């Protein structure tokens, strides 16, 4: 959350000469409603099931850059699907994430104290992200173009 996937993904795809797909955008298009509405109306469990199915579909049919939502890799089946793909973890620090996300409007997992919720999510998820990633790129105080250049240089 706030790491820059929605910005970096399309820029990386352009640099690599491929297309980009964002799983959150896919879910919203399929459901005809915003992620925040899915959480409120149907609950996180329902959203995670939609997310799991969307990730599997996109990975099966797309060979470009895929941006995953922050909770996608928490699912063991999704992690297994990622084994045969190059995975980049865009790491963001707490202060930078809070600046980028702001008050969390439209981010259902940030209800309440935004800073403490982001910290809890980062603490919980960082070990999983690190374990899944083939490459970790720090994004704090860096331009999207600089991040893309680092990823391009590191890709086989």
């Amino acid at each position: 959350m706030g790491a820059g996937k929605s910005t970096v993904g399309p820029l990386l795809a352009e640099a690599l000469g491929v297309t980009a797909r964002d799983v959150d955008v896919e879910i919203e298009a399929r459901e005809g409603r915003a992620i925040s509405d899915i959480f409120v109306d149907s609950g996180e469990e329902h959203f995670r099931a939609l997310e799991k199915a969307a990730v599997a579909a996109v990975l099966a049919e797309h060979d470009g850059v895929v941006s995953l939502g922050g909770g996608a890799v928490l699912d063991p089946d999704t992690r297994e699907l990622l084994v045969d793909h190059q995975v980049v973890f865009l790491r963001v620090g707490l202060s930078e994430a809070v600046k980028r996300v702001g008050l969390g409007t439209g981010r259902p997992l940030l209800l309440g104290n935004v800073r403490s919720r982001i910290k809890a999510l980062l603490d919980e998820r960082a070990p999983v992200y690190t374990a899944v990633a083939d490459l970790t790129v720090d994004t704090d105080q860096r331009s999207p173009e600089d991040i893309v250049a680092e990823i391009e240089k590191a890709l086989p």
Side-chain angles (χ1 to χ4, degrees):
M1 189 176 308
K5 72 173 181 68
S6 296
T7 301
V8 171
L11 290 175
L12 179 61
E14 183 180 340
L16 296 175
V18 298
T19 57
R21 301 221 354 226
D22 185 312
V23 170
D24 286 350
V25 172
E26 300 274 333
I27 294 167
E28 289 181 335
R30 290 176 187 186
E31 288 292 299
R33 55 190 174 146
I35 301 267
S36 57
D37 291 337
I38 296 169
F39 265 80
V40 169
D41 298 339
S42 305
E44 183 175 1
E45 186 176 331
H46 178 71
F47 170 74
R48 294 297 171 202
L50 294 172
E51 180 179 53
K52 180 178 177 176
V55 170
V58 170
L59 290 177
E61 66 191 32
H62 181 69
D63 60 358
V65 174
V66 178
S67 297
L68 302 181
V73 298
L74 300 178
D75 180 81
D77 294 333
T78 297
R79 289 195 301 272
E80 185 62 32
L81 290 175
L82 293 171
V83 167
D84 295 327
H85 298 274
Q86 289 287 316
V87 177
V88 179
F89 167 26
L90 299 178
R91 182 168 46 204
V92 63
L94 177 60
S95 294
E96 191 73 17
V98 171
K99 282 186 221 170
R100 293 178 187 178
V101 171
L103 295 177
T105 304
R107 295 184 184 263
L109 290 179
L110 295 185
L111 296 175
N113 182 321
V114 173
R115 185 177 181 85
S116 68
R117 287 296 300 141
I118 291 175
K119 180 177 182 343
L121 289 170
L122 288 173
D123 290 348
E124 170 193 336
R125 295 175 175 183
V128 178
Y129 296 161
T130 301
V132 171
D134 298 299
L135 172 66
T136 297
V137 177
D138 290 310
T139 66
D140 287 6
Q141 299 174 13
R142 295 179 67 191
S143 72
E145 294 76 16
D146 185 40
I147 295 164
V148 167
E150 181 177 339
I151 296 168
E152 271 190 292
K153 185 177 176 182
L155 289 176

